[in-house]
């Protein structure tokens, strides 16, 4: 692992920044009071004078050069910390192999440890910005909103029962189990912790039961774990944050009481449900209000993202006001509004919303891990071997037990039961994270052993994040690999296996979900009849499918231009492959073993994974990418277009050249088909302008051409939305519409090889038309896939 | 179970279907062995896909399923439902094709005269084979293999890499050196893989 200069420079830069930041910080001895919440804290003026490194020349007279640090201090420091955390993130990805083996939380904590070390050596205290209010009001909402917004709705609702089961019952089991065991330990005199009451034990236990799935999910993705497990882990984390916070508040309140009566306990349990359900209802309400508001923002696109954020945050704050579960409120708000909002807002707003949520959420989480590292070094720790080690032990033990027992109970109700490997992944993947730390750090001071609890939490977090986080990947791979003997697998095996995986995934999707079908169906009917009418704006939003379609048309135009001038277009072409085949000799090639290894690597890196969408949406550290989806769709479009234009795959070079011209109708110049005006609309148009354009340009094709781009999209929109579930991703819907067009036409593309050339000439009347239309059924071969969809009007041919 | 019985009656020719697919009202041995609850669910799904209530499905009903559209080989899977010459698929065919994906019954004693069950290993392999072999000539040509590879691999893979992978695949499997893969060669090349595990959907058990 030799670092060349280019790779070394970000690291050195990073270290410099760290040093400068901590020194610059150390120049100011200020420490915030722990309980103060107002952001307008200012140090006493005298301190500035003491530590000001640049003494003002001639203070009594007019100062030429002044330094007014206190004025900018607070924003400055916040900015520096966030910047530092961002540099850390940039630094990690320089070496992408690091992030594969070591979860990002590990790295962040390490950097935090380093900075903490520097600060400690300078005898500085870290900024006590992690106050209770700062955490709960400013840092937690973005994290939770991030998780909630990017939750893939369909798989989530399919596994709703399991998710809730693991989240709620699992966390309760963990908390109570750990609490009771620790209380038992406390009774043993040797450890010297007898003063910790049962309530305080429960409080501590609830803090260390909150798990974080981040590292686990990345590992799962690589070993192609079943999608259901993915969602369960993701959903469990989200909801157990909510449960933990509720329990925390509950036990906090209870810990303050001297005596706990049975009546209180029942009240607490009742309160628990009220809080949870209240949060849910609240969130749903806010979600609908947001959706309704976005219905009217057609003219003021710029404030759309702002509305989303404001409403979500408002939901959170008002829930806090009533002391009901604010996490549930914001999560449910995000879930409900996503579906409607993404249909109402513009494409740009949609992207902005996603970007900002991801950004703020990840910054928040990064900061918390960072502080964890810093605080570890710089605080006064209270160490108690027995208590802390047992806490760690029980945390791991109870989680493992919990998962085992809970899975046994719920497996019969699941359509796809969890096997042992899944359970191991669930149990071992229970890393603790940001929320635990923040909760511990913000414990009120009336808890006697607050420092012990903080230390204990930090130990548990660091242990799970480092040890479990780093070892989970090899372990899971080992368990996975045991079944198949990787080394003896041939290329054949790999390809066919992946094909079968895709097939099974496709058939499963075809069969649809099984268990909650009744409710989903009912909800969809209600949704279509009532909700959509109220919450979604009537006229068509600028949809990404139209944009993508236009972009592809543009690309199409470019390619036709290229081919006319004799260049080979850039997209991978099966026709060129076919040419080469003719030229290639039939002798058998010799494959070296290194070639084969390369092929294996190529395949494992580039073959599409199944169910990519769910996986990409649950990746916490990056925005979901739809590159795969776009590739698939674009490929369909390209291959269809090519096949329709060429007529068949078996054409010779000369025939191909002439066939390329089939795409242009006789006597028309290129400009009339792809006029520059179209380019203007490539990003932003809407459908009305397209209709106007086409009716002006091609008066003889009055209805068909004008109607054709519009009608299919309309029909498909209804089709897509009525069949499919409450899935928030508008992209998917649009992708469906688009790929539906594509899939229809690509199937006919497969068939053109059977058609005689004559009919292909008919259908290649224009790529634009070919896109939405299927070729005429002149041939004798009645192939099922050639069936003209009934929603397309009869296209007049003027040939 | 009363409601399920009445629902069963609504499905046309349900007895024939049950015979062919195998139904566990009594523990008989039949070819397909899909249980009544599954048939009812599949029927519900069929009806949901068939929005206009025509009683049969056509390609664009399948195309409306989002996830299938995002599947790299989604259009091939859809094509597999429509036998050559037919434009629609009715419920019987629908269930029969899905029955391919039932896990194999391990405890079924082998009767020499009974027809091979639809979810046998051989039939599953035939299903996979037909996903490759679009022109139905019984062989996977190099072109067809290239098409499938192209569909399953990302855009970063160059044409040359694709071709060498395809060549290697054919070389490994092709025993009679005709540069295509026949069904027998296909089957032989996959003998080590647990097809039952790979090509089964657990909830169709």
């Amino acid at each position: 692992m030799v670092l060349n200069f280019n790779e070394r420079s970000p690291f050195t830069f990073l270290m410099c920044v760290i040093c400068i930041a901590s020194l610059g910080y150390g120049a100011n001895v200020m420490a915030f009071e722990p309980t103060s919440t107002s952001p307008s804290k200012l140090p006493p003026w005298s301190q500035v004078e003491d530590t000001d490194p640049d003494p003002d020349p001639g203070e009594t007279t007019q100062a030429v050069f002044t330094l007014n640090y206190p004025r900018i201090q607070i924003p400055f420091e916040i900015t520096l910390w966030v910047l530092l955390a961002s540099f850390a993130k940039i630094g990690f990805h320089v070496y992408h192999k690091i992030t594969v083996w070591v979860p990002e939380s590990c790295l962040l904590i390490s950097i935090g440890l380093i900075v903490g070390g520097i600060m400690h050596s300078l005898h500085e205290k870290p900024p006590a910005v992690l106050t209770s209010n700062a955490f709960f009001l400013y840092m937690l909402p973005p994290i939770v909103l991030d998780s909630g917004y990017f939750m893939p709705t369909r798989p989530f609702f399919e596994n709703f029962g399991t998710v809730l089961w693991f989240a709620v019952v699992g966390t309760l089991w963990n908390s109570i189990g750990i609490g009771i065991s620790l209380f038992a330990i406390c009774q043993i005199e040797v450890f010297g912790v007898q003063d910790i009451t049962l309530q305080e034990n429960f409080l501590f236990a609830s803090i260390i039961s909150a798990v974080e799935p981040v590292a686990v999910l990345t590992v799962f993705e690589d070993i192609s774990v079943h999608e259901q497990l993915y969602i369960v882990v993701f959903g469990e984390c989200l909801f157990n944050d909510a449960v933990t916070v509720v329990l925390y508040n509950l036990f906090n309140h209870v810990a303050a009481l001297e005596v706990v009566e049975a009546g209180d306990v029942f009240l607490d349990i009742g309160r628990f449900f009220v809080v949870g359900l209240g949060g849910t209802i609240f969130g749903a309400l806010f979600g609908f209000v947001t959706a309704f508001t976005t219905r009217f923002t057609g003219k003021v696109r710029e404030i759309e993202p702002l509305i989303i954020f404001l409403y979500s945050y408002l939901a959170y704050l008002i829930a806090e006001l009533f002391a009901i579960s604010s996490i549930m409120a914001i999560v449910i708000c995000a879930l409900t509004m996503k579906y409607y909002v993404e249909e109402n807002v513009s494409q740009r707003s949609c992207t902005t919303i996603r970007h900002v949520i991801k950004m703020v959420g990840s910054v928040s989480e990064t900061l918390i891990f960072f502080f964890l590292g810093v605080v570890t070094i710089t605080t006064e720790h209270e160490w108690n071997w027995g208590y802390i080690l047992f806490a760690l032990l029980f945390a791991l033990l109870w989680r493992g037990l919990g998962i085992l027992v809970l899975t046994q109970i719920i497996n019969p109700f699941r359509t796809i039961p969890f096997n042992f490997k899944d359970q191991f992944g669930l149990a071992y993947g229970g890393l603790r994270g940001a929320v635990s730390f923040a909760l511990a750090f913000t414990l009120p001071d009336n808890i006697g052993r607050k420092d012990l609890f903080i230390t204990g939490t930090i130990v548990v977090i660091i242990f799970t994040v480092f040890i479990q986080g780093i070892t989970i990947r090899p372990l899971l791979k080992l368990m996975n690999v045991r079944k198949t003997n990787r080394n003896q697998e041939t290329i054949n095996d790999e390809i066919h296996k992946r094909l079968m995986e895709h097939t099974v995934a496709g058939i499963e999707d075809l069969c649809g979900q099984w268990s909650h079908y009744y409710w989903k169906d009912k909800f969809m009917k209600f949704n279509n009849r009532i909700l959509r009418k109220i919450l979604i704006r009537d006229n068509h939003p600028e949809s990404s499918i139209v944009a993508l379609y236009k972009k592809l048309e543009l690309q199409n135009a470019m390619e036709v231009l290229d081919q006319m001038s004799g260049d080979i277009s850039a997209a991978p072409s099966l026709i060129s492959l076919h040419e080469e085949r003719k030229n290639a000799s039939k002798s058998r090639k010799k494959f070296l073993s290194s070639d084969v290894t390369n092929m294996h690597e190529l395949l494992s890196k580039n073959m599409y994974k199944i169910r990519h969408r769910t996986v990409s949406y649950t990746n916490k550290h990056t925005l979901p990418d739809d590159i795969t989806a776009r590739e698939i769709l674009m490929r369909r479009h390209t291959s269809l277009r090519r096949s329709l234009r060429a007529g068949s795959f078996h054409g010779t070079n000369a025939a191909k050249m002439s066939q390329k011209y089939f795409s242009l109708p006789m006597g028309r110049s290129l400009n009339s088909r792809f006029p520059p005006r179209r380019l203007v609309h490539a990003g932003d148009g809407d459908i009305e302008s397209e209709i106007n354009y086409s009716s002006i340009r091609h008066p003889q094709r009055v209805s068909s051409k004008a109607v054709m781009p519009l009608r299919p999209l309309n029909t498909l929109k209804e089709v897509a939305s009525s069949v499919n579930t409450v899935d928030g991703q508008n992209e998917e819907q649009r992708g469906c519409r688009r790929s539906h067009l594509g899939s229809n036409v690509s199937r006919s593309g497969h068939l053109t090889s059977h058609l005689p050339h004559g009919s292909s000439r008919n259908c290649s009347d224009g790529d634009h038309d070919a896109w939405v239309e299927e070729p005429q059924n002149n041939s004798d071969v009645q192939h099922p896939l050639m069936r003209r969809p009934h929603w397309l009007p009869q296209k007049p041919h003027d040939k | 179970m009363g409601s399920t019985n009445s629902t069963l009656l609504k499905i046309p020719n349900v007895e024939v279907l049950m015979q062919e697919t195998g139904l566990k009202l009594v523990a008989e041995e039949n070819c397909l062995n899909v249980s009544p609850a599954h048939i009812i669910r599949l029927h519900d799904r069929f009806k949901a896909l068939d929005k206009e209530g025509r009683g049969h499905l056509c390609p664009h009903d399948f195309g409306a399923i989002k996830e299938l559209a995002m599947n790299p080989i989604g259009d091939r899977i859809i094509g597999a439902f429509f036998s050559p010459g037919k434009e629609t698929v009715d419920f019987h065919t629908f269930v029969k094709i899905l029955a391919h994906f039932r896990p194999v019954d391990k405890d079924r004693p082998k009767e020499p005269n009974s027809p091979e069950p639809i979810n046998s290993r051989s039939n599953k392999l035939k299903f996979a084979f037909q996903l490759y072999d679009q022109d139905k000539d019984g062989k996977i040509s190099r072109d067809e293999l290239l098409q499938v590879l192209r569909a399953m691999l990302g855009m970063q893979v160059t044409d040359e890499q694709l071709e060498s992978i395809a060549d290697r695949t054919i070389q490994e499997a092709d025993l009679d050196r005709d540069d295509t893969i026949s069904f027998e060669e296909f089957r032989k090349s996959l003998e080590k893989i647990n097809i039952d595990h790979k090509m089964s959907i657990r909830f169709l058990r």
Side-chain angles (χ1 to χ4, degrees), chain A residues 496 510 514 589 723 747 784, chain B residues 45 51 59 86 132 171 203:
Chain A
H496 297 319
L510 206 143
W514 289 70
K589 288 197 237 172
V723 164
R747 267 173 266 131
Chain B
R45 178 64 172 172
K51 268 165 293 316
K86 294 197 66 172
Y132 281 100
Q171 204 184 69
F203 50 72

Side-chain angles (χ1 to χ4, degrees), chain A residues 536-553:
Chain A
I536 296 187
R537 206 180 313 133
D538 284 330
N539 47 326
H540 295 286
E542 177 185 305
S543 79
S544 78
I545 180 176
V546 176
L548 180 62
Y549 172 45
K550 288 193 165 93
K551 212 179 357 167
L552 285 173
E553 279 304 303

Side-chain angles (χ1 to χ4, degrees), chain A residues 487-540:
Chain A
N487 295 332
Q488 292 173 5
E489 204 175 73
T490 60
I491 300 277
N492 230 322
D493 289 346
E494 244 184 284
I495 296 177
H496 297 319
K497 270 167 61 170
R498 187 52 61 92
L499 180 97
M500 289 192 232
E501 283 171 15
H502 279 302
T503 311
V504 169
I507 297 280
E508 279 179 355
D509 291 327
L510 206 143
C511 293
Q513 54 176 129
W514 289 70
S515 30
H516 310 286
Y517 200 56
Y518 177 70
W519 291 108
K520 186 198 79 168
D521 209 24
K522 278 239 166 327
F523 178 72
M524 286 310 297
K525 289 210 180 87
F526 172 66
N527 186 31
N528 287 333
R529 243 179 307 136
I530 302 177
L531 287 179
R532 285 181 65 94
K533 291 212 170 55
I534 303 177
L535 299 175
I536 296 187
R537 206 180 313 133
D538 284 330
N539 47 326
H540 295 286

Side-chain angles (χ1 to χ4, degrees), chain A residues 665-666 668 673 694-706 796-798:
Chain A
M666 309 290 196
R668 301 239 177 153
R673 282 221 63 72
S694 13
S695 56
I696 292 171
R697 285 286 177 175
H698 304 279
Q700 67 272 32
R701 297 168 181 271
V702 157
S703 57
S704 62
K705 198 151 154 70
H797 275 276
D798 54 350

Side-chain angles (χ1 to χ4, degrees), chain B residues 40-153:
Chain B
I40 292 169
R41 280 176 179 156
L42 283 174
H43 190 72
D44 285 338
R45 178 64 172 172
F46 185 85
K47 276 196 297 196
L49 288 174
D50 176 22
K51 268 165 293 316
E52 289 131 27
R54 288 163 303 182
H56 54 83
L57 296 176
C58 51
H60 99 253
D61 291 323
F62 285 109
I65 305 173
K66 273 187 275 198
E67 293 79 21
L68 206 50
M70 289 294 152
N71 195 313
I73 53 169
D75 44 354
R76 287 170 187 257
I77 296 176
I78 296 175
F81 275 83
F82 296 88
S83 43
K86 294 197 66 172
E87 292 185 9
T88 59
V89 69
D90 61 355
F91 184 61
H92 272 240
T93 327
F94 186 71
V95 174
K96 275 207 212 159
I97 292 184
L98 287 179
H100 276 98
F101 290 91
R102 273 195 70 239
V104 169
D105 299 320
K106 300 220 174 35
D107 48 351
R108 200 182 57 90
K110 301 230 169 25
E111 284 176 25
N113 294 331
S114 67
E116 200 179 336
I118 289 193
N119 61 336
S120 72
R121 188 175 195 275
S122 168
N123 281 326
K124 286 185 203 269
L125 279 173
K126 277 202 193 122
F127 189 87
F129 190 78
Q130 106 188 74
L131 289 177
Y132 281 100
D133 183 21
Q134 290 288 312
D135 56 5
K136 310 233 188 294
D137 59 355
K139 295 181 185 299
I140 304 177
S141 68
R142 189 171 178 273
D143 256 348
E144 287 168 339
L145 192 59
L146 275 172
Q147 285 175 41
V148 173
L149 278 176
R150 183 78 265 171
M152 289 208 297
L153 285 165

Side-chain angles (χ1 to χ4, degrees), chain A residues 289-351:
Chain A
V289 170
T290 320
F292 189 64
T293 315
T294 53
R295 187 179 169 187
F296 303 105
T297 58
K299 305 288 186 212
V300 276
R301 298 280 187 192
E302 312 80 41
I303 63 168
E304 276 169 346
L306 191 62
I307 291 185
I308 309 295
F309 301 139
L310 290 178
Y311 269 115
S312 313
Y313 197 42
L314 206 61
Y316 186 83
L317 291 176
I318 297 190
E320 281 280 318
L321 172 67
F322 291 115
I324 54 181
S325 171
S326 42
I327 296 184
M328 288 295 291
I330 199 173
V331 167
I332 302 289
C333 178
L335 275 178
T336 45
M337 78 176 168
K338 186 169 65 166
Y339 175 70
Y340 302 104
V341 155
E342 293 206 340
E343 290 217 20
N344 277 337
V345 303
S346 70
Q347 190 55 28
R348 290 215 186 96
S349 302
C350 204
T351 313

Side-chain angles (χ1 to χ4, degrees), chain A residues 182 184-195 383-390 449 452:
Chain A
L182 279 178
I185 295 291
C186 287
Q187 304 313 312
I188 303 177
E189 290 173 11
V190 175
F191 299 120
V193 283
Q194 273 154 313
D195 53 324
W383 186 264
N384 183 309
W385 277 106
Y387 193 74
I388 291 180
L389 287 181
F390 270 106
R449 297 286 206 142
L452 177 63

